[in-house]
Amino acid sequence: MAVLYLGSCDAGKTPSSRKDFLKPYHIDGLLINKVSFRDDDRTKWRSFREGTGDDVLKLQRFLFNAGFMPRSAFDGVFGYVTQAAVRLFQEYVRSMEGVTNMVPDGMVGSGTMDHITRWERENKVSDWGKMSSQNPSKSYSDWMQLLQQAKQHYTNNPGPILQHLNKLTNTYSTKKPADWTFNTSDIHLIGIRRKQTESAVRRENDDLFVLLINGMAFTFWGSTDASVNMAKRKDEAFLIEGQHLYRFGWHKISVESKIYRALKPKNPKGVMIIRDWDNDNAYTDKDIQVKDNQGNVKGLRVNPSINIHWTGIGRSNFSAGCQVIAGKSYLNHKNELQDCSKFASSSYSGLTTSNKKTKGAYNVFTDLILCYAPKQVTHLYYTLGREASLDLSHNFGSQYAEEVLNRLKSV
């Protein structure tokens, strides 16, 4: 069997209109109207390549049966969802089965095929495929409970910045506390902000992200706050705390050598931010009190470019205001630490065919979202809060964030 990867097609399965096939995914910047796939870990374009058999269809059926591709189209085209499902399978074999030489690169060669054959012979189904929002883990339920407690608390105690938000007529992709929603049929991402009130020009990747999907909770780390040196301006942007709607999309959409999958505000106008109006390099309530030369409060702004994207292995904070996630490590659905450092690239330069590096844990994040999104769901709810809010639940407590971050950084 030939190596299968992004763009491979079974005999007679090449779409009659490649542009139409890719249109649901190619909705940003330079991707619009592209007729090739974007292989972002290799920073290159992959054309549709037709084979002679039905190997892709067999692969898709396996991924569906094994619980990695619940919304498979069974179309015989190795597209973005198939690539994501292959990487999740490879990551599962690596991390859950201890096959340490497995690199989750989305390429199906003889090594990956041997494990597929083994799984088919043993009729195996992944834990990830067995979970659901109707059959959730305890961790998933605990986080969902905390979200409900946070809504009640911040609806009744909004604080100066949320009070200002409540007065606005249009908040775009940002929701007012009374409108926060936490349905288990949706995908939820929680951002846990730390040290945001401390002045810092170079911010560390010292925040947490918890992905709630398909009844499971996965924990990642990175930064919710901008570094001034990355922002290249004194009044760097801070995404305000609260709930925001984000859709599947791409980052660096105007730079062909760097385009990769990320999350973008669902409303094209963006999400609500507050700038560091008082130039103390921190996110504090004082920022909402600063006035312009006419005596008007500068207040909140809407910003279209606050994405959720990759930040290398976490060594440097790539944020100019975006929410950024490191590729070095993560905690899986069993709260087990997973080390991706052997194959996770620290920068764009490592993402080449010869280096065979990937975006590591960040790929797990994006692949879970792409594979386990409920049918017709193309967005998630991102709720950003601070570590003090963890004290709302006896299951966590504010010390939880630092303890987990230390675990994640220990690899």
Side-chain angles (χ1 to χ4, degrees):
M1 185 192 81
V3 175
L4 299 176
Y5 54 94
L6 192 64
S8 297
C9 299
D10 286 340
K13 296 299 182 180
T14 303
S16 57
S17 172
R18 293 174 294 170
K19 185 164 69 173
D20 287 346
F21 183 91
L22 291 167
K23 191 174 182 179
Y25 303 97
H26 289 181
I27 53 180
D28 296 312
L30 291 175
L31 289 119
I32 296 173
N33 294 325
K34 283 283 188 181
V35 295
S36 296
F37 292 96
R38 178 64 180 175
D39 190 344
D40 54 357
D41 267 358
R42 298 293 168 260
T43 61
K44 66 184 297 182
W45 302 96
R46 302 277 192 191
S47 62
F48 289 81
R49 303 172 309 281
E50 188 164 320
T52 58
D54 62 351
D55 291 334
V56 176
L57 178 60
K58 290 176 181 176
L59 172 65
Q60 290 173 329
R61 285 175 174 162
F62 162 75
L63 293 168
F64 175 82
N65 291 332
F68 294 101
M69 198 173 172
R71 57 193 190 105
S72 176
F74 300 120
D75 56 8
V77 178
F78 197 122
Y80 291 119
V81 179
T82 303
Q83 181 195 49
V86 167
R87 289 197 300 214
L88 288 180
F89 169 68
Q90 293 170 325
E91 173 61 16
Y92 196 93
V93 169
R94 184 194 76 86
S95 63
M96 296 295 292
E97 296 188 324
V99 181
T100 56
N101 64 344
M102 174 68 79
V103 175
D105 59 4
M107 312 282 282
V108 182
S110 58
T112 297
M113 200 64 220
D114 286 345
H115 290 291
I116 289 174
T117 301
R118 173 174 61 84
W119 272 55
E120 288 180 322
R121 183 175 62 248
E122 298 174 5
N123 199 28
K124 294 190 69 170
V125 179
S126 69
D127 287 352
W128 300 348
K130 295 174 184 176
M131 300 295 290
S132 70
S133 57
Q134 289 75 45
N135 177 36
S137 67
K138 181 180 184 301
S139 180
Y140 177 94
S141 298
D142 288 344
W143 283 111
M144 291 298 291
Q145 182 183 42
L146 174 60
L147 289 173
Q148 294 288 358
Q149 291 169 320
K151 176 181 179 177
Q152 181 177 359
H153 176 81
Y154 288 105
T155 299
N156 296 329
N157 307 279
I161 293 176
L162 288 179
Q163 285 175 22
H164 188 89
L165 179 76
N166 285 334
K167 295 176 183 178
L168 300 179
T169 301
N170 195 340
T171 58
Y172 307 95
S173 283
T174 299
K175 297 167 71 72
K176 298 176 182 180
D179 298 325
W180 295 356
T181 58
F182 303 111
N183 297 319
T184 56
S185 57
D186 294 317
I187 307 169
H188 294 278
L189 178 65
I190 302 170
I192 302 171
R193 177 175 260 164
R194 305 177 62 249
K195 301 182 180 179
Q196 71 286 347
T197 61
E198 297 178 14
S199 180
V201 174
R202 282 186 170 272
R203 288 201 171 271
E204 299 294 321
N205 288 302
D206 57 4
D207 301 322
L208 296 181
F209 297 89
V210 182
L211 177 65
L212 303 179
I213 190 166
N214 203 44
M216 301 177 287
F218 293 79
T219 305
F220 304 87
W221 60 285
S223 180
T224 65
D225 301 322
S227 278
V228 178
N229 60 309
M230 284 293 297
K232 294 183 173 60
R233 55 189 294 173
K234 292 181 178 180
D235 57 345
E236 70 275 18
F238 288 87
L239 180 63
I240 69 166
E241 289 157 1
Q243 189 174 78
H244 317 272
L245 278 132
Y246 274 82
R247 65 167 175 84
F248 308 167
W250 303 80
H251 188 60
K252 292 289 183 183
I253 57 174
S254 62
V255 185
E256 190 160 357
S257 63
K258 294 184 176 181
I259 301 170
Y260 65 89
R261 282 193 289 138
L263 299 174
K264 302 176 73 72
K266 185 179 180 184
N267 187 311
K269 294 287 187 181
V271 286
M272 301 306 296
I273 62 155
I274 190 161
R275 293 201 171 275
D276 179 24
W277 297 125
D278 60 356
N279 296 324
D280 65 351
N281 300 317
Y283 173 90
T284 68
D285 290 341
K286 292 180 181 178
D287 292 308
I288 202 68
Q289 301 165 3
V290 176
K291 297 180 180 180
D292 60 22
N293 293 334
Q294 286 73 46
N296 301 311
V297 172
K298 290 188 175 183
L300 304 181
R301 296 286 191 274
V302 62
N303 189 301
S305 59
I306 306 296
N307 298 337
I308 301 175
H309 66 79
W310 176 56
T311 185
I313 56 174
R315 185 182 299 151
S316 300
N317 180 355
F318 291 0
S319 173
C322 295
Q323 313 293 282
V324 295
I325 295 176
K328 188 177 183 181
S329 58
Y330 71 99
L331 301 181
N332 69 9
H333 65 300
K334 292 185 174 181
N335 201 36
E336 298 167 338
L337 178 63
Q338 303 302 327
D339 181 358
C340 304
S341 59
K342 288 184 178 180
F343 54 87
S345 178
S346 61
S347 65
Y348 293 105
S349 62
L351 301 175
T352 65
T353 302
S354 58
N355 284 336
K356 296 184 179 179
K357 294 279 189 178
T358 77
K359 290 189 286 297
Y362 178 79
N363 279 352
V364 178
F365 170 73
T366 57
D367 291 343
L368 285 167
I369 292 170
L370 194 56
C371 287
Y372 292 105
K375 202 169 184 179
Q376 307 304 321
V377 170
T378 58
H379 64 273
L380 58 73
Y381 291 83
Y382 175 46
T383 306
L384 173 60
R386 56 186 67 188
E387 63 181 341
S389 299
L390 294 171
D391 279 328
L392 294 171
S393 170
H394 67 273
N395 294 311
F396 299 104
S398 57
Q399 80 289 342
Y400 175 91
E402 184 174 6
E403 292 171 357
V404 171
L405 185 70
N406 288 337
R407 274 187 75 196
L408 288 163
K409 287 190 170 185
S410 70
V411 299

